[in-house]
Amino acid sequence: MYVLGIETSCDETGVAIYHSEKGLISDFLYSQITMHSEYGGVVPELASRDHIRRVVPLIKQCLEAGNLKSSDINGIAYTAGPGLMGALLVGATTARSLAWTWQVPAIAVHHMEGHLLAPMLEENPPAFPFVALLVSGGHTLLVRVDGIGQYQLLGESIDDAAGEAFDKTAKMLGLGYPGGPKVSALAEQGKPRFKFPRPMTDRPGLDFSFSGLKTFTMNTLHETEKTEQDKADIAYAFQTATAETLTIKCRRALQQTGLKRLVIAGGVSANKQIRAALLEMTEKEKAQLYFPRLKFCTDNGAMIAYAGCQRLLSGQQENLEIFAKPRWPISELTGV
Ligand code: KG4
Ligand code: ZN
């Protein structure tokens, strides 16, 4: 079964084709970073308009790269939420219209389910059950995964998401958008000098909080002369505190569930220091760490095509409604 996947939830237009037996056939992405960086963040209306411009050419490109005709496609998966309403509607209407024209089923995919299943596209995918740490620009979630659609929320951020904290820290340090990779690059020049808090690690539970860390960063910055070295040391302290906080909570989640497999996914899972900290912890815990290749940590069409394919294979059917849900808790999903 060939499934076309369309991702338009935020600032990246991602399109891919996944085949149930042959695996990933083609995937292309158009990033809107240059357009939004002028404004220091994502401008929702500009994002929607640009998705409209990019989505159909990317679909054509995917078909051509896979040497496929539209009649080869057996189903279409699209990101239905969470995300920006206007942006989601572009993917949803494109997918539903093409599905109608091509007379194939379309399926609404939860963006975080896409991220969570992204490691399944790698050579040694994790077996169920596992613990997943989903760290993106909008979400920080710890989930127990027993199968596709079987998600038990173990913990989440009570305020800012980890990616959001990276983005805000970048802004404070004058690094611009998108913050994560920029903070990470600057942190490489930083030295261990400041000790930042590890929020909510001194009490039981698996929830996160990152807004205090942001305030701490701001106060520390104001106490320095704001030289390049000061900023690099602050970036290093912030990243170390985030990595350690995430690691402490992941260790706790593994111990609490008794599971020995940990998946990390979402934009922040591209961070080298966070990966290294989690790898060290999982080795000590005699657990296995799984993550997607770098380009599938951030938003992409491949994870949506994969998730949609699994749901279509299980026989899931939907009506013709153009479904888009900007706020959509992952715990609302049902199993296949
Ligand atoms: O998953 P994603 O591409 O989009 C959302 O679903 O939100 O995640 C984007 C987030 C942004 O906040 C970005 O700053 C962060 O992931 N990010 C990183 C890195 N690369 C992207 N954060 C830390 N280190 C990175 N290398
Ligand atoms: Zn995402």
Side-chain angles (χ1 to χ4, degrees), residues 7 9-12 82 111-112 115 135-139 162-167 178-184 239 265-272 274 297-300 303:
E7 155 63 40
S9 67
C10 189
D11 56 352
E12 256 128 16
H111 181 76
M112 298 313 287
H115 276 305
V135 270
S136 70
H139 297 85
E164 198 178 346
F166 266 97
D167 294 335
K182 293 192 173 169
V183 170
S184 172
Q239 186 169 273
V268 182
S269 69
N271 187 280
K272 273 193 248 162
I274 293 174
C297 286
T298 43
D299 293 349
N300 63 85
M303 64 184 195

